[in-house]
Every structure is written in C-alpha cells, then in structure tokens.
C-alpha cells in the first residue's frame, strides 16, 4: 500500500521561496512516473511538473525557470522560487503513472499542502 504525504506549504510574500516535500511510504520514486499538481482557488487542478519514467523533468509554462522538481529515494521535492500570487494553491504530489484509455493516470495521491502567496 502506497501512501503519499506532503509537507512544506506555508504563507509567503511574492518573490519568496518554498520547498515542498512528498514522502512516499511504500514507494520508490527512482522509477519516475511522479508529479506535482496544484488546485488554485476557484480553478481546476493543473499539472505543475512531472518526472517521466525515462527520468525527464517537464514543467508547466507558468512555472518554468522558477520551480524545480527532484527526488531522492522515496521522497520528491518541489523547489519554488520567485513565487507569485497566482501560485497560491493546494499542492499535491502524485505517483504511479500509467496510461489508461489514452489518458495519463496517477494511481497514488497525497492530500496536499497549502501554499499562499501574498502581494
């Protein structure tokens, strides 16, 4: 049974930095297929970053150059620099990527950690 637990969310001012962590109990992130998503208030969930099964990182255009995703063993990280007010969201980690019906599916999800960026 895999369980993901995020931490590191906080309230910061615009321009600040945060580092989110996600511990995967019963997981091994070295095989890739992991991601960070976020739920901004009043908006749909969006993909922030992922590391593919081939180990290739990808980022949403809105965070390129500011966010860096990494992992070590059963912990994944999201380093967020130069935060903007529009980065305010609940951030969730996901693992266990697979293709199902042509869609990208993640089998395991954390509950999220709140990031609030004020002007």
């Amino acid at each position: 049974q895999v369980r993901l637990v995020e931490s590191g969310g906080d309230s910061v001012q615009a321009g600040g930095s945060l580092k989110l962590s996600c511990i995967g109990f019963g997981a091994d992130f070295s095989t890739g297929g992991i991601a960070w998503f976020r739920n901004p208030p009043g908006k749909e969930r969006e993909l922030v970053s992922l590391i593919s099964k081939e180990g290739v990182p990808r980022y949403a255009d809105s965070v390129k150059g500011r966010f860096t995703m990494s992992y070590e063993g059963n912990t994944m990280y999201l380093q967020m620099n130069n935060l903007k007010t529009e980065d305010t969201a609940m951030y969730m980690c996901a693992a266990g990527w697979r293709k199902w019906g042509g869609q990208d599916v993640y089998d395991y999800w954390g509950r999220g950690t709140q990031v609030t960026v004020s002007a």
Side-chain angles (χ1 to χ4, degrees):
Q1 185 77 17
V2 174
R3 186 167 67 97
L4 307 183
V5 180
E6 304 95 336
S7 62
D10 205 345
S11 296
V12 296
Q13 288 193 320
S17 298
L18 282 174
K19 187 173 184 177
L20 306 183
S21 300
C22 170
I23 299 176
F25 297 96
D28 179 6
F29 296 154
S30 63
T31 56
I34 56 177
W36 285 96
F37 287 80
R38 66 184 181 187
N39 256 117
K43 297 182 181 179
E44 293 186 356
R45 185 177 66 196
E46 58 187 31
L47 176 67
V48 176
S49 63
L50 65 85
I51 295 178
S52 69
K53 286 292 220 179
E54 294 76 26
V56 177
R58 296 194 181 99
Y59 299 92
D61 288 343
S62 59
V63 306
K64 276 181 185 174
R66 300 188 298 121
F67 289 13
T68 303
M69 181 177 178
S70 62
Y71 68 87
E72 183 174 357
N74 69 333
T75 304
M76 68 172 93
Y77 304 96
L78 185 67
Q79 176 67 48
M80 308 186 292
N81 297 328
N82 190 21
L83 282 161
K84 304 177 179 180
T85 55
E86 52 263 43
D87 294 320
T88 294
M90 179 71 75
Y91 284 73
M92 296 157 291
C93 58
W97 171 88
R98 59 186 171 90
K99 277 288 191 184
W100 187 81
Q103 301 279 341
D104 291 322
V105 175
Y106 290 86
D107 285 334
Y108 309 108
W109 291 81
R111 291 187 176 184
T113 185
Q114 179 67 36
V115 172
T116 302
V117 185
S118 58

